[in-house]
Amino acid sequence: MCAFFTLLSAQGYAQKPHQDFIQAERVAWSGNYKKFKQTLDELDHPLKPYVEMTFYKRHPKLKYQEEISRFLSVYDHTPLDWPLRKSWLNYLKRRGKKALFIEHYQDTSNAELKCTYLQFQLDLGAPKKAILDQVAPLWVVGKSQPKACDRLFSQWQKAGYRDQALIWERITKAAQGGQTSLIKYLKTLLPRREAYLADLYVAVRRDPSASAGLYRYKNRNQKESEIAVYGVRRLIWRDPKLALRAWDKLQEMFEFSQAQKDSVAYRFALALASKGHEEARFWLNKVPAEQQDVKLRQWLMSNMLKEQDWAGIAALFTGMDNLSNGQTYWLGYSYFKRGDNAKATALWQELATKRDYYGFLAAARLDLPPSMNTQSLDVNEQTLASVSQAPGFKRAKALYELERFTQARREWNYLTNTSSTEEKLAASMLAAELDWYDSTIYTLAQIKAWNYVDLRFPMAFDNLFERYSERNRVDLAWSYAVARRESSFAPDARSSADAYGLMQILPSTARYVAKKRVSKKQLMKPATNIRLGTDYLEYLKRKTKGNEILATASYNAGYHRVKRWIPSEAMPAELWIELIPYRETRDYVKNVMAYRQVYHTKLGREGNVLAGILDMNIGGKR
């Protein structure tokens, strides 16, 4: 293996600076065709196709038609395809080159291009029915469509395709998506006697309590019942008391279908259970067995745990096939609490062989060492060599080295999505050699190769984690675990909540911790991010008086929210974790604690870090 990687690192393109590619790309931007072609002929670089794509994307012209067609054919469906194809199609659309547009079009979620494709076919004499049959999905959406669709929609309507059922379906989608301006238009398409329904939908969308206003339901028809169900399903989250009262009254007004009743029961069960409402158990039991998914069963179990209904838990899970590890653990716990230690031990012994939160808890219960189940990855050198020479791998590697991470991941995802399992394993090993941690982790997860622990839990950025964990007096394994859970060690990670970098720091958090503004660019730098992340962990640990369970939950959900979850009466820490009302935070704490055990073991330390949970209480007088 070492010889192979020495050979790989010695390859010309791996050592050669990327300056020649960058210069060629600049030439492509300029639009000088002659200079571009000359530069392209002289370029020997894995990203040569990106130079071509850049030129034709920025300068699409009919005189380059053959070259663009060839490029799109060669790189069809690769990450190089769509950026150029989209630019080319938009150019052909503007020029009115209908036949060429149709020739190069491929199905897309881009409504403007899709409408243009159908319209151009109609313009060129395609069978009207075959084209208009495809229009309804474009029209029945909960948002306004681009103007490019207007003429197509007009022809579709005039041909008699738009009926009242489709209009109502679109109103429903628009209302539930909050597109009130679209509803104003759609209202004009309803018969006059039904125009009030659009206003009713808008009222319920803006204020779910409007669904409790029984006077609003003038005709007690099917469409009103749909609005009523939509409203109370939203209202239960905001005002449970009003929603419960309204639902009782609404059932006297409408003949709801069983499907509608079941959908309300499911939503009421989730909402009330998450709020700890006294009627939660009633609604949890009201949901039909076939609709009791993982989320609902978690709340059903949590409700029983909260009430310490050990017999109920045993009854819920005994005899059930394919219990999750969590369900197995708590079934064992219910036996333990009822004095049936033999059954509890039997379940926990099997569970203790698993490498996850519940497996480590079970091992701690039985005073057994945590089970790592580590497997060494062994891929033959022929496969490694083949993958390393694949153009997609070379492009992904070069883009990664250029820190063009988004493009690099697109190439990587295309490579692995079109590879065999053996090739994915080889790609994972190659990515690990490049210290491309998140791609290694993602690819192994894609094929459920869970036991390659050394690759899935790398000692990434070890010098930085060691330095700042020690400086901030936080456990190194804990720091690693948080970063592994937050970003899989992707320095450029950015969440939907606008958190950045390895340890997913919000700019506001960074400013608070650093006592000054920290730019988003700085947060993408591993040294800055790890320093601030470990500093924040130390701060949260102090705020929670040394309780690292509460500090971990606070890292995800915020200290002030976690503070509200602490009960007035003490409860076992493992029970408190299971009853965290936010699923994201509940899973987060479990994952971080499990990952911490993995890193604890990888650091050469003995013992089960989850054992402390068993002796810990949360809440009460501290």
Side-chain angles (χ1 to χ4, degrees), residues 509-560:
T509 301
R511 185 168 59 250
Y512 181 82
V513 171
K515 309 302 180 190
K516 63 180 181 180
R517 182 182 176 278
V518 182
S519 70
K520 294 173 181 178
K521 185 177 181 180
Q522 282 294 114
L523 287 176
M524 297 291 197
K525 294 183 177 179
T528 302
N529 197 280
I530 294 170
R531 174 173 57 82
L532 293 172
T534 52
D535 196 348
Y536 189 46
L537 281 176
E538 190 273 337
Y539 163 79
L540 291 173
K541 186 175 178 180
R542 279 189 287 109
K543 289 287 286 184
T544 57
K545 297 181 173 58
N547 190 309
E548 292 172 348
I549 298 297
L550 294 177
T552 300
S554 298
Y555 196 96
N556 175 260
Y559 170 71
H560 293 292

Side-chain angles (χ1 to χ4, degrees), residues 271-317:
L272 297 174
S274 69
K275 294 174 182 294
H277 194 278
E278 59 184 8
E279 291 196 37
R281 184 77 170 267
F282 169 80
W283 285 97
L284 284 164
N285 290 325
K286 198 173 177 65
V287 178
E290 61 272 15
Q291 291 188 26
Q292 291 182 6
D293 56 13
V294 172
K295 187 187 298 185
L296 200 73
R297 283 180 179 167
Q298 170 67 34
W299 280 115
L300 187 57
M301 182 182 75
S302 295
N303 189 268
M304 292 179 180
L305 288 173
K306 188 175 182 179
E307 296 177 0
Q308 299 188 28
D309 181 1
W310 311 124
I313 289 175
L316 178 66
F317 293 135

Side-chain angles (χ1 to χ4, degrees), residues 67-228:
E67 293 162 79
I68 291 173
S69 294
R70 176 196 56 79
F71 186 93
L72 292 175
S73 176
V74 171
Y75 296 103
D76 186 30
H77 288 99
T78 73
L80 288 152
D81 179 337
W82 181 242
L84 174 55
R85 191 178 298 277
K86 182 181 179 182
S87 175
W88 180 233
L89 289 173
N90 279 318
Y91 170 81
L92 295 174
K93 173 180 172 289
R94 291 192 303 270
R95 287 301 192 96
K97 299 298 180 180
K98 300 178 182 180
L100 270 179
F101 184 99
I102 292 168
E103 177 186 338
H104 289 103
Y105 176 84
Q106 288 185 354
D107 195 32
T108 172
S109 59
N110 185 307
E112 182 171 351
L113 293 177
K114 191 157 191 170
C115 284
T116 301
Y117 171 66
L118 295 176
Q119 184 63 62
F120 280 179
Q121 289 183 86
L122 284 174
D123 293 347
L124 294 180
K128 184 176 284 189
K129 185 178 185 306
I131 302 303
L132 296 181
D133 280 349
Q134 302 175 57
V135 175
L138 280 165
W139 190 81
V140 185
V141 294
K143 61 182 180 179
S144 296
Q145 292 289 46
K147 291 192 175 189
C149 297
D150 288 353
R151 192 156 66 95
L152 179 69
F153 289 163
S154 178
Q155 292 171 277
W156 174 73
Q157 175 206 338
K158 288 176 181 177
Y161 282 82
R162 193 183 72 191
D163 59 26
Q164 286 300 308
L166 291 177
I167 292 170
W168 180 249
E169 185 179 351
R170 191 176 189 191
I171 286 176
T172 299
K173 290 184 177 182
Q176 296 183 5
Q179 298 292 321
T180 54
S181 59
L182 176 59
I183 294 175
K184 289 179 182 178
Y185 158 69
L186 296 173
K187 176 182 174 180
T188 66
L189 306 181
L190 289 172
R192 184 176 299 178
R193 67 181 182 280
E194 292 190 352
Y196 78 98
L197 291 167
D199 296 330
L200 179 57
Y201 236 143
V202 170
V204 169
R205 168 69 192 189
R206 287 176 173 167
D207 181 7
S209 66
S211 62
L214 304 184
Y215 69 91
R216 299 175 187 274
Y217 306 107
K218 301 176 181 179
N219 298 306
R220 303 190 181 189
N221 55 34
Q222 175 61 32
K223 290 175 181 176
E224 287 183 352
S225 77
E226 293 174 22
I227 299 172

Side-chain angles (χ1 to χ4, degrees), residues 415-534:
L415 172 74
T416 54
N417 288 340
T418 55
S419 300
S420 67
T421 298
E422 185 74 8
E423 288 167 337
K424 286 183 174 73
L425 291 173
S428 299
M429 188 174 286
L430 293 169
E433 182 69 12
L434 296 170
D435 292 339
W436 194 358
Y437 306 110
D438 60 303
S439 287
T440 301
I441 292 166
Y442 167 79
T443 305
L444 291 173
Q446 189 182 34
I447 55 176
K448 295 180 171 54
W450 308 121
N451 290 335
Y452 301 118
V453 175
D454 288 337
L455 291 179
R456 292 186 58 237
F457 295 90
M459 310 297 282
F461 305 97
D462 51 351
N463 291 332
L464 294 174
F465 274 106
E466 288 170 12
R467 182 195 313 167
Y468 291 117
S469 295
E470 182 178 358
R471 178 184 297 183
N472 287 305
R473 300 182 301 281
V474 297
D475 176 40
L476 176 59
W478 189 27
S479 301
Y480 270 130
V482 168
R484 170 64 170 78
R485 174 59 180 79
E486 289 286 354
S487 71
S488 294
F489 301 111
D492 65 314
R494 178 179 177 180
S495 75
S496 58
D498 215 29
Y500 291 82
L502 290 166
M503 299 186 75
Q504 290 290 274
I505 308 292
L506 289 167
S508 57
T509 301
R511 185 168 59 250
Y512 181 82
V513 171
K515 309 302 180 190
K516 63 180 181 180
R517 182 182 176 278
V518 182
S519 70
K520 294 173 181 178
K521 185 177 181 180
Q522 282 294 114
L523 287 176
M524 297 291 197
K525 294 183 177 179
T528 302
N529 197 280
I530 294 170
R531 174 173 57 82
L532 293 172
T534 52

